[in-house]
Amino acid sequence: MNAKLLPEFSIVLGVRLKDVRIPTHAAILRTAFAALLFAATIACSQAGQSLPKIKVLATGGTISGAQTSQMEAGYKSGTFSVDDLIKAIPQLKKIAELSGEQITNIGSQTMTHEVWLKLAARIDEALEVSDNDGVVITHGTDTLEETGYFLTLVVKSAKPVVLVGSMRPATAISADSAINLYNAVALAGDPQARGRGPLIILNDTIHYAREAQKMQTTRMDTFASPNRGIAGMINTGKAFFYSANTARHTTKSEFSVDGLTAGNLPQVEVVYSYTNLGGEIIDALVDQGAKGIVLAGVGDGNTTDAALAALERAAKKGIAVVRSSRTGRGIVDRNVEVNDDKLGFIAGMELSPQKARILLMLGLIKTTDAKALQQYFYEY
Protein backbone atom coordinates (compact mmCIF):
# COMPACT_ATOMS: atom_id res chain seq x y z
CA MET A 1 0.00 0.00 0.00
CA ASN A 2 1.19 3.56 -0.77
CA ALA A 3 2.82 5.07 2.32
CA LYS A 4 0.80 8.24 1.76
CA LEU A 5 -2.40 6.26 2.32
CA LEU A 6 -1.34 4.55 5.57
CA PRO A 7 -2.45 7.51 7.70
CA GLU A 8 -5.97 6.82 6.43
CA PHE A 9 -6.19 4.02 9.05
CA SER A 10 -5.90 6.67 11.74
CA ILE A 11 -9.56 7.44 10.99
CA VAL A 12 -10.40 4.34 13.02
CA LEU A 13 -8.67 6.06 15.95
CA GLY A 14 -10.61 9.29 15.45
CA VAL A 15 -8.52 11.34 13.04
CA ARG A 16 -10.59 13.44 10.61
CA LEU A 17 -10.53 12.30 7.01
CA LYS A 18 -9.70 15.81 5.72
CA ASP A 19 -6.52 15.81 7.81
CA VAL A 20 -5.19 12.77 5.99
CA ARG A 21 -2.93 13.12 2.98
CA ILE A 22 -4.72 11.87 -0.14
CA PRO A 23 -3.70 12.57 -3.74
CA THR A 24 -5.66 15.59 -4.97
CA HIS A 25 -6.40 13.91 -8.27
CA ALA A 26 -8.19 11.00 -6.50
CA ALA A 27 -11.16 12.67 -4.84
CA ILE A 28 -13.32 9.73 -5.81
CA LEU A 29 -10.99 7.49 -3.82
CA ARG A 30 -11.66 9.61 -0.76
CA THR A 31 -15.30 8.57 -0.71
CA ALA A 32 -14.59 4.94 -1.49
CA PHE A 33 -11.84 4.70 1.08
CA ALA A 34 -13.97 6.40 3.73
CA ALA A 35 -16.71 3.86 3.12
CA LEU A 36 -14.19 1.03 3.42
CA LEU A 37 -12.84 2.38 6.68
CA PHE A 38 -16.37 2.89 8.04
CA ALA A 39 -17.15 -0.76 7.31
CA ALA A 40 -13.91 -1.79 8.98
CA THR A 41 -14.81 0.26 12.06
CA ILE A 42 -18.22 -1.40 12.29
CA ALA A 43 -16.64 -4.83 11.87
CA CYS A 44 -14.15 -4.11 14.65
CA SER A 45 -16.96 -2.90 16.88
CA GLN A 46 -19.02 -6.02 16.26
CA ALA A 47 -16.03 -8.24 16.84
CA GLY A 48 -15.57 -6.59 20.23
CA GLN A 49 -19.14 -7.24 21.36
CA SER A 50 -19.54 -9.96 23.95
CA LEU A 51 -21.76 -12.92 23.22
CA PRO A 52 -25.04 -13.26 25.12
CA LYS A 53 -24.95 -15.56 28.15
CA ILE A 54 -27.61 -18.24 27.96
CA LYS A 55 -28.57 -20.81 30.59
CA VAL A 56 -29.80 -24.13 29.21
CA LEU A 57 -32.14 -26.00 31.57
CA ALA A 58 -32.72 -29.55 30.38
CA THR A 59 -35.73 -31.71 31.22
CA GLY A 60 -35.30 -34.56 28.72
CA GLY A 61 -37.66 -35.41 25.90
CA THR A 62 -37.15 -36.49 22.29
CA ILE A 63 -34.56 -33.77 21.74
CA SER A 64 -32.25 -35.75 24.03
CA GLY A 65 -33.52 -39.18 22.98
CA ALA A 66 -31.85 -42.05 21.16
CA GLN A 67 -33.06 -44.92 19.02
CA THR A 68 -31.91 -48.52 19.17
CA SER A 69 -32.06 -48.42 15.36
CA GLN A 70 -32.46 -45.56 12.88
CA MET A 71 -34.92 -47.76 11.00
CA GLU A 72 -37.37 -47.90 13.91
CA ALA A 73 -39.84 -45.32 15.19
CA GLY A 74 -39.29 -46.19 18.84
CA TYR A 75 -36.73 -44.43 21.01
CA LYS A 76 -35.85 -43.66 24.63
CA SER A 77 -36.38 -40.09 25.80
CA GLY A 78 -33.77 -38.39 27.92
CA THR A 79 -30.83 -40.52 26.83
CA PHE A 80 -28.39 -37.62 26.53
CA SER A 81 -27.51 -35.00 29.15
CA VAL A 82 -27.54 -31.24 28.71
CA ASP A 83 -23.74 -31.28 28.36
CA ASP A 84 -24.02 -33.87 25.60
CA LEU A 85 -26.47 -31.67 23.71
CA ILE A 86 -24.28 -28.59 23.97
CA LYS A 87 -21.10 -30.41 22.97
CA ALA A 88 -22.82 -32.00 19.96
CA ILE A 89 -23.35 -28.56 18.35
CA PRO A 90 -20.00 -26.72 18.27
CA GLN A 91 -21.60 -23.83 16.34
CA LEU A 92 -23.37 -22.78 19.56
CA LYS A 93 -20.08 -21.36 20.85
CA LYS A 94 -20.17 -18.78 18.07
CA ILE A 95 -23.52 -17.32 19.11
CA ALA A 96 -23.61 -17.56 22.91
CA GLU A 97 -21.76 -18.34 26.11
CA LEU A 98 -23.60 -21.38 27.43
CA SER A 99 -23.98 -23.05 30.77
CA GLY A 100 -26.18 -26.08 31.33
CA GLU A 101 -28.17 -27.60 34.16
CA GLN A 102 -30.08 -30.88 34.22
CA ILE A 103 -33.43 -30.27 35.95
CA THR A 104 -34.71 -33.77 35.15
CA ASN A 105 -34.37 -36.22 32.27
CA ILE A 106 -37.79 -37.63 31.40
CA GLY A 107 -40.25 -37.95 28.59
CA SER A 108 -42.68 -35.04 28.92
CA GLN A 109 -45.66 -37.38 29.14
CA THR A 110 -44.49 -37.92 32.73
CA MET A 111 -44.04 -34.21 33.54
CA THR A 112 -45.16 -33.33 37.08
CA HIS A 113 -46.13 -30.28 39.12
CA GLU A 114 -42.97 -30.78 41.18
CA VAL A 115 -40.80 -30.38 38.09
CA TRP A 116 -42.80 -27.33 37.00
CA LEU A 117 -42.19 -25.61 40.32
CA LYS A 118 -38.50 -26.47 40.33
CA LEU A 119 -38.10 -25.29 36.75
CA ALA A 120 -39.90 -22.00 37.35
CA ALA A 121 -37.81 -21.28 40.44
CA ARG A 122 -34.55 -22.01 38.59
CA ILE A 123 -35.57 -19.76 35.70
CA ASP A 124 -36.24 -16.85 38.05
CA GLU A 125 -32.95 -17.46 39.86
CA ALA A 126 -30.98 -17.68 36.62
CA LEU A 127 -32.50 -14.53 35.15
CA GLU A 128 -32.00 -12.54 38.33
CA VAL A 129 -28.28 -12.85 37.65
CA SER A 130 -27.44 -9.76 35.60
CA ASP A 131 -24.92 -11.64 33.43
CA ASN A 132 -27.52 -14.08 32.11
CA ASP A 133 -29.37 -12.77 29.06
CA GLY A 134 -31.87 -15.59 28.61
CA VAL A 135 -32.88 -19.17 29.33
CA VAL A 136 -33.44 -22.13 27.01
CA ILE A 137 -35.46 -25.13 28.20
CA THR A 138 -35.14 -28.44 26.39
CA HIS A 139 -38.38 -30.39 26.74
CA GLY A 140 -40.43 -33.18 25.24
CA THR A 141 -43.14 -32.05 22.83
CA ASP A 142 -46.05 -33.96 24.40
CA THR A 143 -46.63 -31.47 27.21
CA LEU A 144 -44.39 -28.66 25.99
CA GLU A 145 -47.35 -26.30 25.57
CA GLU A 146 -48.52 -26.93 29.13
CA THR A 147 -45.13 -26.26 30.70
CA GLY A 148 -44.78 -23.18 28.51
CA TYR A 149 -48.14 -21.78 29.59
CA PHE A 150 -47.46 -22.48 33.27
CA LEU A 151 -44.17 -20.56 32.95
CA THR A 152 -46.00 -17.77 31.13
CA LEU A 153 -48.12 -17.27 34.23
CA VAL A 154 -45.45 -17.54 36.94
CA VAL A 155 -42.01 -16.47 35.64
CA LYS A 156 -41.06 -13.01 36.89
CA SER A 157 -38.56 -11.77 34.32
CA ALA A 158 -38.81 -9.94 31.01
CA LYS A 159 -35.70 -11.70 29.72
CA PRO A 160 -36.25 -14.31 27.00
CA VAL A 161 -37.41 -17.78 28.02
CA VAL A 162 -37.39 -20.19 25.08
CA LEU A 163 -38.72 -23.76 25.17
CA VAL A 164 -37.49 -26.16 22.52
CA GLY A 165 -38.04 -29.78 21.62
CA SER A 166 -37.77 -31.98 18.57
CA MET A 167 -39.94 -34.45 16.71
CA ARG A 168 -37.06 -36.80 15.92
CA PRO A 169 -34.54 -38.14 18.43
CA ALA A 170 -30.97 -36.95 18.22
CA THR A 171 -29.81 -40.20 16.59
CA ALA A 172 -32.47 -40.22 13.84
CA ILE A 173 -31.87 -39.76 10.12
CA SER A 174 -32.26 -36.01 9.48
CA ALA A 175 -32.82 -35.26 13.17
CA ASP A 176 -34.25 -31.81 13.92
CA SER A 177 -32.77 -31.57 17.41
CA ALA A 178 -29.57 -29.71 16.45
CA ILE A 179 -31.15 -26.95 14.35
CA ASN A 180 -33.98 -26.50 16.84
CA LEU A 181 -31.55 -26.07 19.73
CA TYR A 182 -29.35 -23.74 17.69
CA ASN A 183 -32.35 -21.56 16.87
CA ALA A 184 -33.51 -21.62 20.49
CA VAL A 185 -30.16 -20.36 21.76
CA ALA A 186 -30.07 -17.65 19.10
CA LEU A 187 -33.61 -16.60 20.00
CA ALA A 188 -32.88 -16.49 23.73
CA GLY A 189 -29.99 -14.13 23.02
CA ASP A 190 -31.99 -11.87 20.72
CA PRO A 191 -33.10 -8.53 22.29
CA GLN A 192 -36.27 -8.73 20.17
CA ALA A 193 -37.42 -11.67 22.33
CA ARG A 194 -37.45 -9.63 25.55
CA GLY A 195 -40.80 -8.86 27.14
CA ARG A 196 -42.78 -11.32 25.02
CA GLY A 197 -43.23 -14.07 27.60
CA PRO A 198 -42.07 -17.66 27.11
CA LEU A 199 -41.64 -18.70 23.50
CA ILE A 200 -41.69 -22.12 21.82
CA ILE A 201 -39.44 -22.81 18.83
CA LEU A 202 -39.57 -25.82 16.51
CA ASN A 203 -39.40 -26.23 12.76
CA ASP A 204 -38.10 -22.66 12.23
CA THR A 205 -41.35 -21.32 13.72
CA ILE A 206 -41.76 -19.15 16.82
CA HIS A 207 -44.90 -19.49 18.95
CA TYR A 208 -46.06 -17.74 22.07
CA ALA A 209 -46.39 -20.49 24.67
CA ARG A 210 -49.95 -19.33 25.40
CA GLU A 211 -50.97 -19.94 21.80
CA ALA A 212 -49.03 -23.07 20.85
CA GLN A 213 -50.65 -26.48 20.50
CA LYS A 214 -49.23 -29.80 19.39
CA MET A 215 -51.49 -30.76 16.48
CA GLN A 216 -49.86 -33.82 14.91
CA THR A 217 -48.29 -36.99 16.26
CA THR A 218 -45.13 -37.30 14.16
CA ARG A 219 -44.68 -34.50 11.61
CA MET A 220 -42.07 -31.78 11.91
CA ASP A 221 -44.73 -29.04 11.69
CA THR A 222 -46.60 -30.45 14.66
CA PHE A 223 -47.00 -27.12 16.50
CA ALA A 224 -49.48 -24.46 15.49
CA SER A 225 -50.96 -21.34 17.05
CA PRO A 226 -54.51 -21.85 15.81
CA ASN A 227 -56.25 -18.83 17.29
CA ARG A 228 -53.94 -15.82 17.06
CA GLY A 229 -51.30 -17.14 14.68
CA ILE A 230 -47.59 -17.70 15.08
CA ALA A 231 -45.32 -15.17 16.76
CA GLY A 232 -42.79 -15.25 13.94
CA MET A 233 -40.21 -17.25 12.02
CA ILE A 234 -36.51 -17.89 12.42
CA ASN A 235 -33.97 -18.52 9.68
CA THR A 236 -30.55 -19.90 10.65
CA GLY A 237 -30.72 -18.08 13.95
CA LYS A 238 -32.21 -14.78 12.73
CA ALA A 239 -35.67 -14.05 14.13
CA PHE A 240 -38.52 -12.23 12.42
CA PHE A 241 -41.46 -11.38 14.70
CA TYR A 242 -44.93 -10.84 13.26
CA SER A 243 -47.05 -9.96 16.28
CA ALA A 244 -47.01 -8.98 19.95
CA ASN A 245 -48.25 -10.99 22.91
CA THR A 246 -51.21 -8.99 24.23
CA ALA A 247 -52.28 -11.34 27.05
CA ARG A 248 -51.00 -10.77 30.59
CA HIS A 249 -47.81 -12.70 31.33
CA THR A 250 -44.59 -12.87 33.37
CA THR A 251 -43.87 -9.43 34.88
CA LYS A 252 -47.53 -8.38 34.54
CA SER A 253 -48.93 -11.62 35.97
CA GLU A 254 -50.18 -11.77 39.54
CA PHE A 255 -49.27 -15.45 39.84
CA SER A 256 -45.93 -16.77 41.11
CA VAL A 257 -44.35 -19.86 42.62
CA ASP A 258 -43.21 -18.11 45.79
CA GLY A 259 -44.10 -20.34 48.72
CA LEU A 260 -45.94 -22.72 46.41
CA THR A 261 -45.59 -26.48 46.69
CA ALA A 262 -47.09 -29.27 44.61
CA GLY A 263 -49.12 -30.28 47.63
CA ASN A 264 -51.01 -26.99 47.84
CA LEU A 265 -51.87 -26.78 44.16
CA PRO A 266 -55.64 -27.34 43.93
CA GLN A 267 -56.85 -30.53 42.24
CA VAL A 268 -58.32 -29.61 38.86
CA GLU A 269 -59.47 -32.29 36.43
CA VAL A 270 -60.47 -32.34 32.75
CA VAL A 271 -63.62 -34.17 31.58
CA TYR A 272 -63.79 -34.98 27.87
CA SER A 273 -67.23 -34.77 26.33
CA TYR A 274 -68.55 -37.34 23.87
CA THR A 275 -71.83 -38.86 22.75
CA ASN A 276 -73.91 -40.24 25.62
CA LEU A 277 -71.59 -38.91 28.37
CA GLY A 278 -73.21 -39.42 31.74
CA GLY A 279 -72.71 -37.51 34.96
CA GLU A 280 -71.10 -40.31 36.95
CA ILE A 281 -67.51 -39.31 36.18
CA ILE A 282 -68.17 -35.72 37.22
CA ASP A 283 -69.89 -36.78 40.44
CA ALA A 284 -66.97 -39.09 41.22
CA LEU A 285 -64.43 -36.29 40.75
CA VAL A 286 -66.37 -34.11 43.18
CA ASP A 287 -66.45 -36.97 45.70
CA GLN A 288 -62.68 -37.40 45.28
CA GLY A 289 -62.05 -33.80 46.28
CA ALA A 290 -61.62 -31.96 42.98
CA LYS A 291 -61.67 -28.18 43.45
CA GLY A 292 -62.12 -27.47 39.76
CA ILE A 293 -63.40 -29.24 36.65
CA VAL A 294 -62.66 -28.24 33.06
CA LEU A 295 -65.09 -29.50 30.46
CA ALA A 296 -63.48 -30.33 27.12
CA GLY A 297 -66.82 -29.82 25.47
CA VAL A 298 -68.10 -30.53 22.00
CA GLY A 299 -68.41 -27.59 19.64
CA ASP A 300 -68.77 -24.37 21.59
CA GLY A 301 -68.04 -25.96 24.96
CA ASN A 302 -71.28 -27.92 25.18
CA THR A 303 -72.07 -31.42 26.43
CA THR A 304 -74.92 -33.82 27.19
CA ASP A 305 -77.84 -32.92 29.45
CA ALA A 306 -76.67 -35.49 32.00
CA ALA A 307 -73.16 -34.04 32.13
CA LEU A 308 -74.47 -30.48 32.34
CA ALA A 309 -76.68 -31.46 35.26
CA ALA A 310 -73.69 -33.03 37.04
CA LEU A 311 -71.59 -29.93 36.39
CA GLU A 312 -74.38 -27.76 37.79
CA ARG A 313 -74.43 -29.91 40.93
CA ALA A 314 -70.67 -29.48 41.21
CA ALA A 315 -70.89 -25.70 40.84
CA LYS A 316 -73.55 -25.50 43.57
CA LYS A 317 -71.09 -27.29 45.89
CA GLY A 318 -68.47 -24.61 45.24
CA ILE A 319 -66.49 -26.47 42.58
CA ALA A 320 -65.18 -24.17 39.85
CA VAL A 321 -66.47 -25.34 36.45
CA VAL A 322 -64.85 -24.08 33.24
CA ARG A 323 -66.23 -24.75 29.77
CA SER A 324 -63.71 -25.19 26.96
CA SER A 325 -63.76 -26.99 23.62
CA ARG A 326 -62.25 -30.21 22.35
CA THR A 327 -62.20 -28.82 18.78
CA GLY A 328 -58.68 -27.35 19.04
CA ARG A 329 -59.43 -23.76 18.11
CA GLY A 330 -61.95 -20.98 18.57
CA ILE A 331 -63.46 -19.10 21.51
CA VAL A 332 -65.82 -20.44 24.14
CA ASP A 333 -67.57 -17.25 25.27
CA ARG A 334 -70.06 -16.81 28.07
CA ASN A 335 -73.72 -17.76 27.72
CA VAL A 336 -73.42 -19.17 24.20
CA GLU A 337 -75.49 -22.38 23.99
CA VAL A 338 -75.04 -22.83 27.75
CA ASN A 339 -76.36 -20.32 30.32
CA ASP A 340 -73.22 -19.75 32.37
CA ASP A 341 -74.85 -17.04 34.49
CA LYS A 342 -77.60 -19.39 35.59
CA LEU A 343 -75.42 -22.46 36.11
CA GLY A 344 -72.47 -20.69 37.73
CA PHE A 345 -69.95 -21.73 35.08
CA ILE A 346 -66.84 -20.02 33.74
CA ALA A 347 -66.15 -19.60 30.01
CA GLY A 348 -62.69 -20.78 28.98
CA MET A 349 -62.41 -18.29 26.10
CA GLU A 350 -59.44 -19.16 23.81
CA LEU A 351 -57.68 -21.59 26.12
CA SER A 352 -57.47 -25.28 25.30
CA PRO A 353 -58.75 -27.64 28.02
CA GLN A 354 -55.22 -28.43 29.18
CA LYS A 355 -54.29 -24.76 29.46
CA ALA A 356 -57.62 -23.84 31.04
CA ARG A 357 -56.77 -26.39 33.74
CA ILE A 358 -53.49 -24.60 34.49
CA LEU A 359 -55.04 -21.15 34.76
CA LEU A 360 -57.89 -22.46 36.90
CA MET A 361 -55.44 -24.27 39.17
CA LEU A 362 -53.44 -21.09 39.80
CA GLY A 363 -56.57 -18.95 39.95
CA LEU A 364 -58.08 -21.09 42.70
CA ILE A 365 -55.09 -20.29 44.90
CA LYS A 366 -56.25 -16.67 44.79
CA THR A 367 -60.04 -17.01 44.85
CA THR A 368 -62.99 -19.36 44.51
CA ASP A 369 -65.33 -16.63 43.26
CA ALA A 370 -66.60 -17.54 39.78
CA LYS A 371 -66.73 -13.92 38.60
CA ALA A 372 -63.13 -13.27 39.65
CA LEU A 373 -62.02 -16.50 38.02
CA GLN A 374 -63.82 -15.51 34.82
CA GLN A 375 -61.82 -12.29 34.76
CA TYR A 376 -58.62 -14.32 34.74
CA PHE A 377 -59.80 -16.07 31.60
CA TYR A 378 -60.43 -12.71 29.95
CA GLU A 379 -56.95 -11.38 30.80
CA TYR A 380 -54.61 -14.38 30.64
Side-chain angles (χ1 to χ4, degrees):
M1 180 180 293
N2 190 317
K4 294 181 179 180
L5 296 181
L6 287 176
E8 296 274 4
F9 287 101
S10 64
I11 293 174
V12 177
L13 303 178
V15 178
R16 294 175 300 172
L17 184 62
K18 67 179 183 178
D19 294 333
V20 180
R21 294 160 57 199
I22 296 179
T24 57
H25 65 278
I28 191 170
L29 291 178
R30 186 196 305 258
T31 303
F33 208 82
L36 177 62
L37 290 169
F38 177 76
T41 303
I42 294 298
C44 290
S45 174
Q46 290 175 340
Q49 291 178 355
S50 60
L51 294 174
K53 293 186 177 180
I54 305 300
K55 185 82 169 180
V56 181
L57 302 177
T59 69
T62 304
I63 193 169
S64 59
Q67 299 164 297
T68 56
S69 168
Q70 289 185 324
M71 302 299 291
E72 297 177 2
Y75 62 93
K76 185 181 185 302
S77 296
T79 302
F80 301 110
S81 70
V82 62
D83 292 333
D84 293 331
L85 294 178
I86 292 172
K87 289 176 182 177
I89 312 171
Q91 295 87 346
L92 292 175
K93 295 180 181 179
K94 297 181 180 180
I95 60 172
E97 293 183 29
L98 296 177
S99 60
E101 180 179 340
Q102 197 77 45
I103 300 296
T104 188
N105 210 353
I106 58 175
S108 70
Q109 71 276 7
T110 60
M111 185 57 61
T112 66
H113 293 166
E114 288 85 357
V115 176
W116 276 359
L117 295 173
K118 180 181 179 181
L119 184 59
R122 287 298 297 124
I123 292 169
D124 280 340
E125 291 167 3
L127 295 182
E128 282 178 356
V129 178
S130 59
D131 283 353
N132 286 331
D133 297 293
V135 163
V136 168
I137 301 155
T138 60
H139 197 290
T141 58
D142 285 350
T143 59
L144 181 61
E145 64 202 75
E146 294 178 60
T147 298
Y149 186 56
F150 178 78
L151 297 176
T152 295
L153 298 176
V154 300
V155 166
K156 293 303 177 187
S157 176
K159 293 180 181 179
V161 175
V162 180
L163 295 95
V164 62
S166 71
M167 290 303 293
R168 296 173 182 167
T171 57
I173 297 172
S174 190
D176 56 329
S177 53
I179 186 59
N180 287 350
L181 182 56
Y182 180 90
N183 282 336
V185 170
L187 186 59
D190 190 334
Q192 293 185 90
R194 289 182 61 94
R196 294 179 180 270
L199 301 165
I200 289 174
I201 176 76
L202 275 93
N203 197 40
D204 295 343
T205 309
I206 307 168
H207 303 268
Y208 293 116
R210 179 188 185 272
E211 309 302 327
Q213 291 187 48
K214 186 173 182 179
M215 308 291 285
Q216 220 276 345
T217 57
T218 59
R219 279 178 25 172
M220 307 286 274
D221 59 347
T222 182
F223 278 90
S225 293
N227 285 325
R228 301 195 182 191
I230 63 174
M233 297 292 293
I234 192 163
N235 184 15
T236 58
K238 184 177 181 180
F240 302 86
F241 281 97
Y242 299 157
S243 63
N245 184 359
T246 59
R248 287 181 66 178
H249 60 80
T250 54
T251 58
K252 295 181 179 179
S253 172
E254 61 198 275
F255 306 114
S256 76
V257 296
D258 292 343
L260 198 59
T261 66
N264 57 31
L265 281 170
Q267 179 186 351
V268 177
E269 305 292 347
V270 177
V271 174
Y272 195 91
S273 185
Y274 49 86
T275 300
N276 206 48
L277 173 65
E280 297 83 3
I281 294 175
I282 296 164
D283 292 334
L285 290 174
V286 174
D287 292 341
Q288 291 170 13
K291 302 303 181 184
I293 296 174
V294 175
L295 172 69
V298 297
D300 199 2
N302 212 336
T303 189
T304 63
D305 291 342
L308 281 176
L311 291 170
E312 182 180 10
R313 290 193 296 271
K316 287 180 177 178
K317 292 180 180 180
I319 310 302
V321 175
V322 174
R323 292 189 306 112
S324 64
S325 177
R326 72 182 197 180
T327 61
R329 65 178 65 197
I331 298 175
V332 176
D333 202 355
R334 286 192 66 80
N335 301 319
V336 179
E337 294 194 50
V338 175
N339 191 330
D340 296 306
D341 293 341
K342 177 183 176 182
L343 300 176
F345 296 167
I346 300 156
M349 304 305 291
E350 298 173 36
L351 294 182
S352 65
Q354 57 269 32
K355 288 180 180 174
R357 173 185 171 270
I358 295 168
L359 180 56
L360 182 58
M361 187 170 58
L362 291 172
L364 284 170
I365 297 173
K366 301 280 189 181
T367 182
T368 58
D369 180 71
K371 291 183 179 179
L373 291 169
Q374 181 66 75
Q375 192 61 35
Y376 290 147
F377 281 84
Y378 289 148
E379 296 179 8
Y380 293 93

